[in-house]
Amino acid sequence: MKAEKRREEILSFIGNSDEPIPANTLKDRFHVSRQVIVQDIAILRANGYDITSTNRGYFLNTKLGATRVFKCRHTFEEIVDEGMLVIGKGGRIEDIYVNHRVYGRISARLDLNNKTHVEELYRSLVSGASKPLMSVTDGYHYHTVSADCEQTLDLIESKLREKGFLIEI
């Protein structure tokens, strides 16, 4: 298979998946080395495709219809509650960021769009390998949340407020 055709198929494959696709899956599917996949992804990015690499694999960013930033505060133990609330109401948690008084904005891409992602994040944090980003700002943090429409974001905002997680900006 020619490189250009392979890149088109990689783009289609990751673009049509609801989950990130690991590089090893791509290498096996297209019968090339992992390094070739990494180079193909770099070329696709250079051609303007918004492809993100996570520890779970590659995915094509296809933003939902609306996005909003929510400022939140809660305890470590409520991370799952917050995530499940947003996911359960039809949202996707794109990222988390904090505004540190010394270092400025510190952010991490999350891409949480289902229950399993939320649970995996919590298990990673509970393992003690790292502390949650919100811990450097006494629990205060921001999430960019996307959804199919503004009404869904309004519902998520309302539910975050009800739970006491939302900080009015």
Side-chain angles (χ1 to χ4, degrees):
M1 174 182 301
K2 294 199 182 251
E4 190 172 317
K5 177 73 172 152
R6 183 181 61 247
R7 288 184 204 114
E8 287 175 15
E9 289 190 24
I10 289 171
L11 193 60
S12 175
F13 190 54
I14 64 175
N16 289 317
S17 176
D18 292 333
E19 299 291 325
I21 305 297
N24 285 336
T25 300
L26 294 171
K27 99 176 167 55
D28 293 344
R29 180 179 179 97
F30 296 104
H31 308 290
V32 295
S33 70
R34 193 173 190 287
Q35 184 57 38
V36 168
I37 296 299
V38 170
Q39 290 170 347
D40 284 345
I41 296 294
I43 290 168
L44 289 167
R45 285 176 175 152
N47 286 329
Y49 293 98
D50 189 9
I51 299 172
T52 297
S53 173
T54 70
N55 62 342
R56 296 187 309 261
Y58 296 109
F59 65 90
L60 182 62
N61 289 308
T62 52
K63 298 231 186 263
L64 295 174
T67 61
R68 191 175 300 170
V69 173
F70 296 111
K71 183 177 184 182
C72 298
R73 184 174 191 229
H74 52 74
T75 65
F76 177 82
E77 293 76 19
E78 293 171 317
I79 289 173
V80 173
D81 293 342
E82 177 194 52
M84 294 301 187
L85 184 154
V86 172
I87 303 306
K89 298 301 176 196
R92 175 186 176 120
I93 303 174
E94 303 289 344
D95 63 12
I96 182 172
Y97 66 92
V98 297
N99 287 322
H100 193 277
R101 290 189 177 152
V102 174
Y103 301 119
R105 182 176 169 157
I106 304 168
S107 65
R109 188 157 189 90
L110 293 177
D111 299 306
L112 305 176
N113 62 8
N114 64 44
K115 178 181 174 182
T116 303
H117 292 164
V118 173
E119 291 169 345
E120 285 174 359
L121 172 67
Y122 186 71
R123 275 195 301 276
S124 295
L125 294 170
V126 166
S127 75
S130 293
K131 294 194 180 278
L133 195 53
M134 66 184 214
S135 68
V136 300
T137 54
D138 197 30
Y140 292 96
H141 60 284
Y142 299 82
H143 287 296
T144 305
V145 175
S146 60
D148 59 346
C149 63
E150 290 293 332
Q151 291 81 3
T152 301
L153 291 173
D154 290 342
L155 176 62
I156 291 167
E157 183 174 334
S158 172
K159 294 300 180 183
L160 287 170
R161 186 176 289 113
E162 280 178 27
K163 288 285 285 185
F165 295 160
L166 189 66
I167 303 297
E168 302 299 332
I169 300 177

